[in-house]
Amino acid sequence: MIIDVSENSLTFEGDLDLDAVGEHYKQLMDWLAKNREKNIYLDLAHLNYLDSAGVALLDELYDKAQKQGTRLHFVAAPNNIQATISAFSSRHIQKPEPKPVFPLFERVGQWAYQIWLEFVYLIYLVSDAFYFTVIQLVSRKGVRKGEFSNQCILIGMDAFPIVALISFLIGFILALQSAAQLRQFGASIYVADLVAISMTREMGPIMTAIIFAGRSGSSIAAEIATMVVTEETDALKSMGLNPIRYNLVPKIHAISMMMPLLTVLSMLLGILGSMVIGITYLDIGVKPFYNQVVNALILKDIVTGIIKSVVFAWLIVLTAAAYGFRTRGGAADVGRATTASVVTSIFLVILADSLLGLIFYFDPTSPI
Amino acid sequence: MTNESDNIVSVAHLTSGYNGDKVLDDVSMVARENEITVILGASGCGKTTLLKHLIRLFYPWSGSIAIFGQEITDMDEPEFNELLLKIGVLFQNGALLNSITVSENIAIPLEQHTTLPATLIQRLVLIKLGLVELSHALDKLPSELSGGMRKRASLARAIALDPPLLFCDEPSAGLDPVTSESLDRLLLKLRDDLGMSMVIVSHELASIHRIADSIVFLDDGKCLFCGPVNEAKSAGIAEIDRFFRVGEFG
Ligand SMILES: Nc1ncnc2c1ncn2[C@@H]1O[C@H](COP(=O)(O)OP(=O)(O)OP(=O)(O)O)[C@@H](O)[C@H]1O
Ligand SMILES: [Mg+2]
């Protein structure tokens, strides 16, 4: 590419293609900016090849010149070059109007309305989910065969090892840390009470719920979100199937059953973990430790733990579904929905735990 | 017999498939420079698979593939990436990046592979979108476009760098006949004005009649015919005759 510049003319020779444009763009723009001529002639007679980048450059020169009151004249362009220019020129293409920016109050209104819509949507989702969860108990239609046991394995069995391990370690650590304190008062045996009560009332349900939120909640959200963006849910609807029923209900059934089971397991293993400390470190026998645990616990501790776990299960699965079904767009939105679902469900679990703790154990007349 | 050096794509005895299932069986074909070569054949016969082999998304079990006269099956990565800059690809399902707007999608190759300043890139994006008649959808997200619009937007991305070689997988599938016709005119314009060579998968008979210089006919993974359009009809191959006969109406 050779460019020949003089006061009021510009001669191109050779190929004005992408590489040439990248190379000469700055130089040409600088030349034009300094130029004060009224008319400039662009001689294209010796131009051999022009691609769309070249046309873009010519357009840019033309517009810039026009802005500074100069007129560009393309002269002696061979037919093929002329054809390329008219085929690719951007000067007649209309840009879309920029979106109007609404005034503050309208935006606030819109935002509030949006939140209201989301709330309504949530109510619909939750009521649909409840409705179909109950219906599904009597009618087996609308769900793939074997999906329930499939989900039980996916959600429950696969979480079993990690729940077991973490609960055992939590019990172990709790015992170790409290032993150091209680020992000073000669009250080592109360390690058993402490761990038994905290595992059944709090740690068991909470730890299981957090693990479930991370494992199952995220995968449920990702699965549903992907189905939405790839139009699979639309396809289900077109086949007369309800996506909530087809997809979500088996998961709700499975998680409502597996969470309490694993929570009980978690309680047991936590106590077992503390027993290891009791026996080895504190020199309490198996029998006395066991008796101490049994005496410390009342039925209410275990029942409230299980009730909590069911509530948590529902929170996790519905949060995942809410984010999943509301996803629009593409791959990145699936990722966002998944993360948001995990964070929100852990927050909701802890919030619910506080509320339930107050309901079950708060007694204004006497301390527990 | 045509001159070897005119062949911009040449595939010889290509056999390949997925996980042990053979899909392409000893396929040999060529696409010549400055021509539009249309690959046709029944659904599921391996057209997309063949196209994906040409850009090395899959490696063949055996056979050779040469593009711009260079064998690509044993080319090293940097060299092949260099070659890919000269190839534009339109995927069957569009394959736009969904998290960014249409114009940003088209700007990707321009920003990554050229030294052009931002204003020129914006102008080029506008040019390309204007060519596919989508300049009004500049700031939309791909998920806000119709199926046919997505297809056109990805064509705009495929031609962003004015590649000398363009692969299109069913560019006009899902488009109405009028839009389809103007898309064909665009392809012809690209061939004539910029000298692009194209390999296009298409089923649309009307479109094939308008744009094809040569055709490659695949049937169940085998290449039954490769040559100029008019010869195809007189070659006396039953499958091809059937294809053209069934597609006609009136
Ligand atoms: N990723 C894949 N894994 C396994 N098999 C595949 C894959 N992609 C395609 N196939 C198989 O390869 C064969 C050819 O598929 P291909 O997509 O090439 O067909 P096509 O000719 O493009 O069809 P269409 O016109 O419907 O797009 C089909 O039998 C298909 O089942
Ligand atoms: Mg295909």
Side-chain angles (χ1 to χ4, degrees):
Chain A
M1 173 87 245
I2 302 166
I3 301 176
D4 197 16
V5 231
S6 76
E7 258 326 271
N8 65 350
S9 80
L10 195 56
T11 311
F12 291 99
E13 223 179 299
D15 296 349
L16 187 57
D17 58 8
L18 212 124
D19 292 336
V21 171
E23 198 177 318
H24 297 287
Y25 175 80
K26 214 175 154 342
Q27 170 203 349
L28 285 171
M29 287 299 155
D30 290 347
W31 169 79
L32 186 66
K34 286 200 210 88
N35 203 305
R36 289 283 160 265
E37 295 289 324
K38 274 271 154 287
N39 290 291
I40 296 179
Y41 298 90
L42 255 62
D43 183 357
L44 306 179
H46 304 285
L47 203 52
N48 194 20
Y49 175 82
L50 183 67
D51 68 4
S52 59
V55 178
L57 175 75
L58 295 181
D59 284 351
E60 188 75 19
L61 282 173
Y62 189 93
D63 287 352
K64 187 120 185 274
Q66 203 166 36
K67 247 182 235 148
Q68 63 186 53
T70 310
R71 231 187 111 70
L72 278 196
H73 304 272
F74 298 136
V75 292
N79 279 344
N80 61 333
I81 297 293
Q82 193 57 56
T84 309
I85 291 177
S86 52
F88 293 104
S89 174
S90 61
R91 290 213 307 276
H92 56 274
I93 301 175
Q94 292 283 322
K95 272 202 187 175
E97 300 257 318
K99 284 200 189 107
V101 179
F102 294 111
L104 181 67
F105 280 114
E106 272 181 51
R107 265 190 312 210
V108 171
Q110 223 166 25
W111 174 76
Y113 182 63
Q114 207 59 41
I115 289 189
W116 167 245
L117 285 184
E118 306 232 323
F119 179 72
V120 169
Y121 164 80
L122 209 63
I123 299 287
Y124 270 109
L125 176 79
V126 172
S127 51
D128 268 11
F130 268 105
Y131 174 74
F132 286 120
T133 304
V134 175
I135 292 289
Q136 195 64 36
L137 291 174
V138 284
S139 146
R140 293 251 148 257
K141 274 224 193 85
V143 165
R144 218 168 61 223
K145 267 218 180 67
E147 189 61 13
F148 171 65
S149 41
N150 202 357
Q151 289 296 334
C152 281
I153 292 173
L154 268 177
I155 292 177
M157 298 303 285
D158 291 354
F160 173 85
I162 184 82
V163 170
L165 181 65
I166 287 186
S167 306
F168 182 85
L169 290 177
I170 294 264
F172 186 88
I173 295 291
L174 270 181
L176 189 68
Q177 297 286 10
S178 47
Q181 307 300 322
L182 290 174
R183 230 183 186 177
Q184 297 171 11
F185 309 104
S188 311
I189 186 71
Y190 290 106
V191 166
D193 300 57
L194 193 143
V195 174
I197 288 180
S198 57
M199 278 316 289
T200 50
R201 286 188 188 178
E202 290 297 335
M203 295 313 270
I206 282 273
M207 289 319 293
T208 316
I210 289 179
I211 294 168
F212 265 60
R215 273 188 93 261
S216 319
S218 60
S219 81
I220 292 172
E223 181 185 333
I224 294 177
T226 310
M227 290 185 75
V228 171
V229 300
T230 54
E231 296 182 321
E232 282 173 51
T233 48
D234 295 348
L236 282 175
K237 280 183 204 155
S238 76
M239 290 185 273
L241 297 169
N242 185 309
I244 292 180
R245 183 172 189 179
Y246 187 85
N247 214 287
L248 194 62
V249 167
K251 294 184 168 66
I252 293 180
H253 282 169
I255 205 173
S256 311
M257 193 169 97
M258 296 320 275
M259 267 283 274
L261 284 179
L262 283 182
T263 302
V264 171
L265 178 91
S266 158
M267 296 170 179
L268 288 176
L269 277 162
I271 294 172
L272 198 70
S274 70
M275 205 181 247
V276 171
I277 290 290
I279 292 163
T280 57
Y281 181 55
L282 297 174
D283 278 337
I284 309 169
V286 175
K287 192 90 182 135
F289 196 97
Y290 172 77
N291 285 337
Q292 191 70 22
V293 168
V294 171
N295 284 332
L297 291 179
I298 50 174
L299 191 61
K300 187 182 172 194
D301 295 328
I302 297 171
V303 172
T304 54
I306 291 175
I307 293 176
K308 272 184 185 177
S309 77
V310 176
V311 172
F312 295 165
W314 277 75
L315 283 176
I316 291 168
V317 75
L318 287 176
T319 311
Y323 278 104
F325 279 118
R326 233 177 24 193
T327 307
R328 295 287 173 272
D333 302 276
V334 174
R336 254 194 300 275
T338 311
T339 317
S341 128
V342 172
V343 174
T344 312
S345 58
I346 289 180
F347 168 72
L348 287 178
V349 160
I350 288 174
L351 192 70
D353 186 51
S354 321
L355 289 178
L356 290 176
L358 283 179
I359 293 171
F360 290 144
Y361 294 105
F362 183 64
D363 182 355
T365 54
S366 76
I368 306 166
Chain B
M1 196 65 224
T2 55
N3 190 344
E4 261 302 298
S5 63
D6 284 350
N7 294 341
I8 201 154
V9 175
S10 71
V11 175
H13 307 293
L14 175 70
T15 299
S16 190
Y18 302 97
N19 333 310
D21 292 338
K22 193 188 279 187
V23 172
L24 296 174
D25 187 1
D26 196 30
V27 171
S28 298
M29 57 142 305
V30 298
R32 285 189 294 147
E33 190 159 7
N34 209 351
E35 274 196 359
I36 296 181
T37 305
V38 174
I39 301 180
L40 42 89
S43 176
C45 69
K47 302 180 296 293
T48 300
T49 308
L50 176 59
L51 217 53
K52 286 190 172 171
H53 276 83
L54 296 183
I55 47 174
R56 221 169 67 168
L57 291 178
F58 299 108
Y59 286 83
W61 297 352
S62 67
S64 73
I65 303 169
I67 293 185
F68 300 118
Q70 289 168 281
E71 178 65 35
I72 63 162
T73 44
D74 52 6
M75 196 178 262
D76 56 14
E77 205 61 40
E79 199 180 347
F80 187 68
N81 284 335
E82 201 60 29
L83 189 82
L84 279 178
L85 296 186
K86 294 194 278 175
I87 302 176
V89 184
L90 164 61
F91 285 92
Q92 185 160 10
N93 59 11
L96 293 168
L97 302 190
N98 272 306
S99 49
I100 53 180
T101 64
V102 169
S103 62
E104 284 165 334
N105 258 287
I106 294 160
I108 294 173
L110 292 163
E111 280 165 0
Q112 297 300 321
H113 298 307
T114 70
T115 56
L116 297 184
T119 51
L120 266 197
I121 289 183
Q122 281 321 309
R123 197 180 272 276
L124 270 171
V125 166
L126 193 64
I127 290 179
K128 305 294 156 149
L129 278 174
L131 287 176
V132 295
E133 290 162 39
L134 267 186
S135 49
H136 56 280
L138 203 68
D139 293 324
K140 286 205 156 85
L141 287 171
S143 55
E144 299 167 336
L145 300 184
S146 75
M149 286 162 84
R150 253 175 261 175
K151 201 118 231 195
R152 285 184 281 148
S154 36
L155 177 63
R157 186 179 65 184
I159 59 173
L161 291 172
D162 292 337
L165 180 56
L166 182 66
F167 294 145
C168 296
D169 201 344
E170 305 197 11
S172 48
L175 297 182
D176 64 286
V178 178
T179 313
S180 167
E181 198 259 350
S182 71
L183 193 78
D184 286 344
R185 262 189 286 126
L186 169 62
L187 294 176
L188 291 172
K189 196 148 79 175
L190 291 171
R191 180 194 66 184
D192 297 337
D193 289 344
L194 297 183
M196 263 188 213
S197 318
M198 298 174 211
V199 177
I200 292 173
V201 173
S202 176
H203 299 293
E204 315 269 314
L205 270 196
S207 163
I208 293 169
H209 281 302
R210 280 194 294 262
I211 61 174
D213 297 308
S214 304
I215 68 170
V216 171
F217 192 92
L218 289 188
D219 183 54
D220 201 13
K222 295 193 182 59
C223 176
L224 295 189
F225 178 85
C226 169
V229 190
N230 44 8
E231 283 177 26
K233 290 189 201 161
S234 54
I237 298 171
E239 283 83 357
I240 299 182
D241 291 344
R242 179 140 179 272
F243 193 94
F244 280 105
R245 191 153 28 83
V246 173
E248 265 160 29
F249 48 78

